[in-house]
Amino acid sequence: NAGVTQTPKFQVLKTGQSMTLQCAQDMNHEYMSWYRQDPGMGLRLIHYSVGAGITDQGEVPNGYNVSRSTTEDFPLRLLSAAPSQTSVYFCASSLSQLTNQPQHFGDGTRLSIL
Amino acid sequence: ELKVEQNPLFLSMQEGKNYTIYCNYSTTSDRLYWYRQDPGKSLESLFVLLSNGAVKQEGRLMASLDTKARLSTLHITAAVHDLSATYFCAVDRGSQGNLIFGKGTKLSVKP
């Protein structure tokens, strides 16, 4: 089982560059989310989606865009990278609310903005 | 605004000892989750707690939920080195794609 796959695993960007972090899941999960993890801050929700074509903002959405054109994929776009976006990014997915199952996390993307 | 607070944030234990990590949250929620994270790794689900009085156990870890007090505990019994990790609690805001995490408790178990 592939589970939740994130690419790339590591990335270094220059300030002002744009890029897309990829996230794919093969479990037919409805719910998908993006979090960032910073030292001492826990995980903070950036954007989430409850199904294809539906997305919403989390706690820290500024500077990021998402779309959900298919059930499987949920890419995260950095529009103009800033050093404050240096972080570890995790994508997660889960089945519908009715199943009460936990979110499954990908291995993360470690992003550095110079 | 939903807030989740864990304490302690750092915990150094000796092997064989017992201890409890606390997770307080500020507003009503339907579900509470506990996750484990090893350094440089992803998050692994430990427990999902759904109702008041729920108790779940796996090995040396036991989690409980008191929805009236808005408190969950993660109890560690007879700690071993392999339990060294960071433990997070998280609460959902009505959607399982929308979790609020505590800052985590970094546990170090020493011989």
Side-chain angles (χ1 to χ4, degrees), chain A residues 94-114:
Chain A
S94 60
L95 284 167
S96 73
Q97 220 163 348
L98 295 174
T99 64
N100 293 316
Q101 294 298 308
Q103 287 196 314
H104 298 262
F105 282 79
D107 289 338
T109 294
R110 284 148 184 82
L111 182 62
S112 293
I113 315 294
L114 304 178

Side-chain angles (χ1 to χ4, degrees), chain A residues 13-21 46-47 57 60-67 75-83 85 89 111 113:
Chain A
L13 290 178
K14 294 181 180 178
T15 298
Q17 287 185 316
S18 62
M19 82 160 293
T20 300
L21 308 186
I46 305 171
H47 287 285
Q57 296 181 349
V60 288
N62 293 340
Y64 308 94
N65 273 358
V66 292
S67 60
L76 177 72
R77 298 181 189 83
L78 280 71
L79 308 173
S80 177
Q85 294 178 305
Y89 291 84
L111 182 62
I113 315 294

Side-chain angles (χ1 to χ4, degrees), chain B residues 26-44:
Chain B
S26 58
T27 62
T28 303
S29 176
D30 294 332
R31 282 167 289 271
L32 189 136
Y33 305 84
W34 284 98
Y35 286 90
R36 167 182 171 145
Q37 186 181 37
D38 293 305
K41 302 295 185 181
S42 184
L43 280 79
E44 172 192 358

Side-chain angles (χ1 to χ4, degrees), chain A residues 37-44, chain B residues 88 101-103:
Chain A
Q37 184 176 27
D38 302 296
M41 298 293 293
L43 280 81
R44 292 181 292 169
Chain B
F88 292 95
F101 279 79
K103 292 185 177 181

